[in-house]
Each structure stands twice: as structure tokens, then as C-alpha cells.
């Protein structure tokens, strides 16, 4: 078995062990974000996590919101059932109708409305701030579609060629991050809109506007929005894929899946993959807690020596 500290923690030398985390970041990752939900559902009660601030991008925002109000298991149940009833990610027969070829946006909105109710919305509104990343595309004489294609291409190239966690190339092309607060959503319609806006990725979703301006996936400018929490002293970052190396910092602890998550980002046909992602997160969470305690004990032993 590969040591969990190497595969799950991937941190710097464990000479400094944070006592707790006042900030938590949920990275984007589509259906892979169910790993985060499983991980957080295990780790939060074990560590007594009570973050003062959270930040999230793309689908990570939906699972962050659900986790924050204790509805991660409900989110798993709802989305599993939706995926089980969805036969395909692409409905070609709708091409000449007024129905979308890609069912994702409608299914996503359905899931949000089934997971959250007015009581959950109240808990979200009165809980710690949840900052949600949005991306504003640049104005271009060529129009919106070429700008979007350039942005998504820059994001993928940045990821593939540099292996960076925090993308930079789209911002250099003029794409700008903007922050919205889930706590400001006054009703379910506003919550649905915000969670769809941060996940807007044409053609899987329609092109959307927020306050009269185009908005796209918040993960495009930074899929791991640590920068949204400047006031936090200790930040726990939940990734959705594995990196060969992670930034080393006493302030920020990155955790990642111990193995590849068995579902693709936009695969809304795999209830088994979603369940496995959640279960892997739970397993990694338990191992993380055990390793965390071992390192904390070692840290305290060194302090007493």
C-alpha cells in the first residue's frame, strides 16, 4: 500500500501541523467533486471543522454549499438518481427541436432544487461566507464564441504543459475572476442561477448572462481559488485530481484523491461512478484523519523534547 501521506497529503515536511483550518476551498471538477463531498463529510466532524470562510469554483460550489449545510448525502442520493435516469450525455434527436442536445444544465438545476429547500437556504445564508468564483470573458471584435474557445484552450494548455494547480494563461488573455457570495442568494432561483453561472461551460450548458453580462465557468481563471481567502491563517484545499507535486506552504494544505476518481466531469450517466467518487472521498478522509493525528502526535512529541 502506498503511504497515505504521500498519496493523499502530498505536503511539505510535517514540521508544522495546523491546529485547525479557518478556511476551506473546494476546487472545480464536475462530477469528480463528489470526492470532496465524501472527504468533507468524514473529516469535518472528526476534526471539528468550523471554517470561518469558504471559497469554491465551478461544480465545487454546489458541493461546498451542500456540505456546509449538512446535505452532502442528500446531494449524492439526488444526483445518483438523476444519473440513473439519464440514458445519454448527448441527445442528437433533439437537434431539430427546442430542447437542448446536452441535458446537463436542466439536470443540474433539477438537482439543486431537489437538494436544497428554504430551510437549507436559510442555513446557507446565515452560515460562514461562501465565495463563489465567476469568470468574465473579455470583449473581443471577433465575438464571444472565439473568446470562449481561446479561453478554454488556454486553460487546457496551461494545465497540460505546466502542470500548475493555479492556472494563469486565461487571465493573460483578459478573462477576469469575479466573486459572488452564496450567502446573498435571497431565494432558490438566485441560488440555482449562481451555481449554474459558476459552472457555465458551453456547449454542455447554454451561454449565460449575469447582471446583463456574459459569465462562464469560475474555474477557468482559477480552478482552485485559494486567493479568495486572504484573511485566513490556515486553509484546507480539496482538489479533484492528482498532481505530481503540490505547492509547499505552512498556511495552505492541499489534499487530493489517492487514486483517479472513477467518473468524468460531465458524465451524467454514471450513478456508480458518482457513488464511487463519494466513497473514495470518505475513505481518503478517514486515512487523512489518521495520518493527521500521527503527524500531530509527532509534532507534540518534538515540542516536548
Amino acid at each position: 500500500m502506498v503511504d497515505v501521506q504521500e498519496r493523499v497529503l502530498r505536503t511539505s515536511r510535517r514540521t508544522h501541523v495546523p491546529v485547525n483550518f479557518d478556511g476551506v476551498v473546494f476546487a472545480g471538477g464536475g462530477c469528480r467533486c463528489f470526492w470532496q463531498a465524501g472527504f468533507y463529510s468524514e473529516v469535518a466532524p472528526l476534526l471539528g471543522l468550523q471554517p470561518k470562510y469558504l471559497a469554491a469554483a465551478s461544480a465545487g460550489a454546489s458541493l461546498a454549499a451542500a456540505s456546509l449545510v449538512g446535505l452532502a448525502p442528500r446531494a449524492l442520493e439526488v444526483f445518483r438518481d438523476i444519473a440513473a435516469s439519464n440514458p445519454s450525455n448527448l441527445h442528437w434527436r433533439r437537434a431539430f427541436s427546442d430542447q437542448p442536445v446536452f441535458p446537463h444544465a436542466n439536470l443540474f438545476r433539477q438537482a439543486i432544487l431537489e437538494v436544497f429547500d428554504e430551510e437549507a437556504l436559510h442555513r446557507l445564508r446565515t452560515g460562514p461566507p461562501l465565495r463563489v468564483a465567476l469568470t468574465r470573458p473579455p470583449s473581443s471584435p471577433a465575438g464571444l464564441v472565439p473568446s470562449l474557445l481561446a479561453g478554454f484552450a488556454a486553460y487546457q494548455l496551461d494545465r497540460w504543459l505546466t502542470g500548475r494547480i493555479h492556472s494563469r494563461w486565461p487571465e493573460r488573455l483578459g478573462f477576469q475572476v469575479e466573486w459572488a457570495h452564496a450567502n446573498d442568494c435571497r431565494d432558490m432561483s438566485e441560488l440555482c442561477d449562481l451555481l449554474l453561472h459558476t459552472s457555465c461551460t458551453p456547449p454542455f450548458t447554454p451561454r449565460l448572462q449575469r447582471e446583463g453580462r456574459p459569465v462562464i465557468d469560475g474555474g477557468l481563471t482559477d480552478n482552485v481559488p485559494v486567493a479568495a481567502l486572504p484573511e485566513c491563517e490556515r486553509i484546507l484545499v480539496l482538489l479533484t485530481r492528482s498532481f505530481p507535486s503540490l505547492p509547499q506552504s505552512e498556511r495552505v494544505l492541499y489534499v487530493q484523491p489517492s487514486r483517479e476518481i472513477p467518473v468524468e466531469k460531465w458524465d451524467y450517466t454514471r450513478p456508480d461512478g458518482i457513488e464511487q467518487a463519494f466513497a473514495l472521498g470518505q475513505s481518503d478522509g478517514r486515512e487523512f484523519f489518521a495520518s493527521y493525528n500521527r503527524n500531530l502526535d509527532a509534532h507534540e512529541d518534538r515540542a516536548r523534547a
Side-chain angles (χ1 to χ4, degrees):
M1 174 182 288
V2 178
D3 189 285
V4 68
Q5 181 170 323
E6 175 67 15
R7 291 297 302 275
V8 180
L9 294 178
R10 296 274 196 182
T11 63
S12 58
R13 288 189 294 273
R14 307 299 296 164
T15 54
H16 299 274
V17 181
V19 175
N20 210 328
F21 302 97
D22 55 350
V24 178
V25 171
F26 282 66
C31 292
R32 296 199 304 260
C33 292
F34 279 97
W35 179 87
Q36 298 168 321
F39 186 95
Y40 192 87
S41 69
E42 288 290 322
V43 167
L46 290 172
L47 287 182
L49 281 182
Q50 294 182 326
K52 297 179 181 178
Y53 301 92
L54 296 92
S58 195
S62 299
L63 274 303
S67 297
L68 190 57
V69 298
L71 290 176
R74 173 64 178 163
L76 172 65
E77 176 187 359
V78 166
F79 209 85
R80 180 193 60 207
D81 291 346
I82 287 175
S85 63
N86 177 44
S88 175
N89 290 306
L90 188 62
H91 298 264
W92 285 113
R93 293 182 179 180
R94 298 178 179 177
F96 300 102
S97 71
D98 58 356
Q99 293 182 300
V101 172
F102 293 95
H104 301 77
N106 288 341
L107 296 178
F108 190 95
R109 182 177 289 273
Q110 176 187 340
I112 296 301
L113 291 173
E114 290 188 25
V115 171
F116 295 91
D117 56 17
E118 292 299 329
E119 180 183 349
L121 179 63
H122 175 74
R123 295 202 303 272
L124 184 63
R125 284 175 53 83
T126 56
L130 170 54
R131 296 168 184 165
V132 178
L134 305 168
T135 297
R136 296 291 192 179
S139 299
S140 170
L144 180 61
V145 172
S147 291
L148 296 183
L149 292 174
F152 288 121
Y155 173 81
Q156 293 294 345
L157 287 172
D158 192 352
R159 195 185 86 180
W160 291 337
L161 297 179
T162 71
R164 279 192 293 250
I165 292 178
H166 303 283
S167 59
R168 299 175 186 171
W169 291 4
E171 191 172 11
R172 292 174 182 173
L173 293 179
F175 291 84
Q176 296 182 341
V177 66
E178 182 177 298
W179 299 101
H181 294 79
N183 317 71
D184 292 339
C185 294
R186 293 168 294 185
D187 53 39
M188 289 302 303
S189 177
E190 289 190 1
L191 179 62
C192 280
D193 287 345
L194 174 59
L195 297 180
L196 273 169
H197 291 163
T198 188
S199 297
C200 177
T201 311
F204 296 107
T205 67
R207 284 180 281 172
L208 300 174
Q209 290 198 340
R210 185 176 181 84
E211 299 174 348
R213 298 167 51 209
V215 64
I216 54 175
D217 195 312
L220 185 69
T221 39
D222 190 351
N223 201 42
V224 189
V226 175
L229 304 180
E231 61 273 86
C232 292
E233 296 181 359
R234 299 290 190 185
I235 301 174
L236 177 65
V237 179
L238 309 183
L239 302 171
T240 57
R241 60 188 180 92
S242 296
F243 293 82
S245 63
L246 296 177
Q248 298 182 0
S249 168
E250 295 177 13
R251 175 174 174 259
V252 182
L253 177 62
Y254 295 85
V255 294
Q256 62 186 3
S258 58
R259 58 182 173 84
E260 184 177 355
I261 297 175
V263 66
E264 295 297 325
K265 290 192 295 185
W266 288 102
D267 192 349
Y268 283 22
T269 66
R270 288 279 314 282
D272 59 326
I274 293 166
E275 284 187 320
Q276 290 169 32
F278 191 90
L280 177 62
Q282 291 178 305
S283 174
D284 285 348
R286 289 189 292 269
E287 292 197 52
F288 169 84
F289 179 71
S291 182
Y292 183 95
N293 274 343
R294 288 194 299 269
N295 283 297
L296 185 59
D297 290 343
H299 176 70
E300 291 175 346
D301 289 343
R302 285 193 297 269
R304 286 193 294 265

